[in-house]
Amino acid sequence: MNAMSFFFFGLMLIPFVLFLIWLVRQDKNKNYIGLAVLAIAIIIAAYVAINVDLKFMSPQ
């Protein structure tokens, strides 16, 4: 991964994820299904972003 990818993960993605977790936890019914779906979506998005970055950064 190049420097811009780390910049994105560090300064944009992590605060956004923390905000979303805080937002889901504000639910008065304490439904943790939304938190589980959020976690799965984050894992899938990180996996796809890393694989796409590796594809475009590798020499051909």
Side-chain angles (χ1 to χ4, degrees):
M1 289 176 38
N2 61 9
M4 191 55 76
S5 297
F6 288 119
F7 179 76
F8 172 75
F9 274 99
L11 294 180
M12 300 177 110
L13 183 65
I14 293 172
F16 180 67
V17 168
L18 292 175
F19 171 72
L20 288 177
I21 290 172
W22 174 80
L23 196 63
V24 170
R25 291 186 59 114
Q26 297 302 312
D27 185 15
K28 299 297 181 195
N29 296 331
K30 297 296 181 196
N31 281 334
Y32 291 106
I33 295 173
L35 194 57
V37 170
L38 177 65
I40 291 169
I42 291 168
I43 291 169
I44 291 171
Y47 176 76
V48 169
I50 290 169
N51 281 340
V52 168
D53 189 49
L54 288 175
K55 178 182 173 185
F56 287 110
M57 294 302 290
S58 65
Q60 296 187 10

